[in-house]
Amino acid sequence: MTEFVYENEKYKIDASGIVPNGGDIDQVNKIIFVDKGIPEKFHEGIAVHEIEERKLLLKGHSYVYSHNEAQKKELEFYKKVYGEENAMKVLEEEEGIALTIASRRATPKKTKIIYGESEEEALPPAQPLISMRTIREVIFENKHYTIDNSERLIGTLVDVYERGSVIYIDKDVPERFYESLALNELVTRKNLKKGMGWAASHTEGDKTENEFLSAKYGPQDGQEIFNDEIKFQTWKYAKEKRELKEEGGHKVIYEKGEILPK
């Protein structure tokens, strides 16, 4: 592990293992985890990102907003290290590598073999000729949240804006996934507040979601829904990566509010 000082706080960077999202943070022990497949030149930038992103998440902001603001801080850091002209290029290079890792490690190997062709060949869901938005609400631990499925999310299928009591679900996600996705994300955020990292928090979220689906639909049908959800997530990552490459867009640096513009 290497030492990293940021805003007068000492952290350790551990790049020895697999990190599904590319980066993670253990706030209790002040350790930043970086996937072993990411080159060393990006380690400190990712550390800045994880520190800043977690600050905002714990204040109740959405992941998309927190990620975007953390990318701005990371860009500022790269400007200091690589200069004004090169900073965005470095961030773009890092983004491409991180998206590749997220796509590759988003699903278990067994599922990946089954759905291998989905990443490049799956077609997007058919768009309806007309749609009507219905107000939906979920209750979790006595708190009410409104579900908003009108937006295209960045880097995730589901997001929670605690401060606004809103659960955002990507507009392409089938309705049958809404309930379990919302539950998974709420449990994940609950564990993040305890100081757990993304990986451990997601594990708890997946466990709770699987138990919920099994209880509601039966073990076989519940597992099928969960597997279909993973398949859709794999397609989402691949589509996002392809669009960023083909259209020259970014997962980063927008100026507008809590959930980014379409």
Side-chain angles (χ1 to χ4, degrees):
M1 286 193 284
T2 59
E3 188 174 278
F4 176 60
V5 179
Y6 183 69
E7 294 186 338
N8 298 319
E9 291 279 351
K10 290 184 179 180
Y11 297 87
K12 296 287 187 181
I13 297 177
D14 183 347
S16 63
I18 291 174
V19 183
N21 292 330
D24 205 347
I25 182 171
D26 176 347
Q27 288 186 299
V28 176
N29 297 301
K30 294 187 183 297
I31 300 175
I32 311 293
F33 296 98
V34 179
D35 191 272
K36 64 182 182 179
I38 294 178
E40 187 176 357
K41 66 180 284 189
F42 304 121
H43 289 184
E44 291 188 347
I46 289 173
V48 170
H49 180 104
E50 295 301 320
I51 293 166
E52 294 290 349
E53 182 179 88
R54 190 61 56 88
K55 284 181 189 176
L56 292 168
L57 284 169
L58 294 181
K59 289 179 181 178
H61 289 287
S62 64
Y63 163 75
V64 170
Y65 175 84
S66 302
H67 175 85
N68 186 54
E69 295 302 306
Q71 289 287 60
K72 293 177 184 178
K73 293 287 187 180
E74 187 176 359
L75 181 61
E76 290 177 10
F77 175 80
Y78 280 147
K79 285 178 180 178
K80 294 176 183 177
V81 177
Y82 296 104
E84 189 86 23
E85 294 183 0
N86 297 318
M88 180 57 82
K89 293 179 182 178
V90 174
L91 189 59
E92 288 174 348
E93 185 183 351
E94 178 207 299
E95 184 177 75
I97 294 170
L99 280 171
T100 299
I101 286 173
S103 300
R104 189 170 67 243
R105 294 176 176 164
T107 61
K109 289 183 179 179
K110 184 176 180 181
T111 305
K112 194 73 171 208
I113 294 170
I114 295 173
Y115 299 128
E117 293 182 356
S118 299
E119 291 185 326
E120 297 300 332
E121 298 177 7
L123 296 175
Q127 297 299 312
L129 294 177
I130 188 170
S131 62
M132 180 176 68
R133 183 178 170 193
T134 303
I135 296 175
R136 300 176 180 86
E137 187 179 62
V138 298
I139 303 171
F140 178 73
E141 296 186 343
N142 298 316
K143 183 171 181 178
H144 292 245
Y145 298 85
T146 301
I147 289 181
D148 184 337
N149 67 312
S150 65
E151 302 293 341
R152 178 186 176 192
L153 304 186
I154 306 294
T156 184
L157 297 181
V158 59
D159 204 348
V160 177
Y161 177 27
E162 286 280 356
R163 294 165 70 131
S165 299
V166 179
I167 296 173
Y168 290 95
I169 297 179
D170 187 277
K171 66 180 183 178
D172 287 336
V173 172
E175 188 173 355
R176 69 190 183 112
F177 298 148
Y178 285 9
E179 196 173 30
S180 54
L181 276 174
L183 175 62
N184 191 322
E185 191 67 14
L186 288 165
V187 171
T188 297
R189 296 300 176 91
K190 181 179 178 180
N191 283 291
L192 285 177
K193 291 176 183 176
K194 294 178 181 178
M196 294 170 63
W198 276 115
S201 298
H202 278 309
T203 297
E204 291 301 311
D206 287 348
K207 178 182 176 184
T208 302
E209 181 181 359
N210 269 306
E211 290 172 351
F212 168 78
L213 289 171
S214 180
K216 184 168 184 176
Y217 300 103
Q220 184 173 346
D221 288 345
Q223 187 62 51
E224 183 178 338
I225 291 171
F226 187 77
N227 289 343
D228 285 347
E229 183 187 300
I230 292 174
K231 178 182 178 181
F232 188 88
Q233 178 179 281
T234 302
W235 170 81
K236 160 79 173 176
Y237 279 132
K239 177 175 179 282
E240 187 171 279
K241 180 184 175 184
R242 185 166 56 248
E243 286 177 347
L244 288 171
K245 182 178 179 180
E246 293 174 355
E247 299 173 12
H250 300 289
K251 190 180 172 183
V252 298
I253 318 302
Y254 295 88
E255 296 304 325
K256 295 186 179 179
E258 199 59 49
I259 294 293
L260 305 182
K262 299 174 187 176

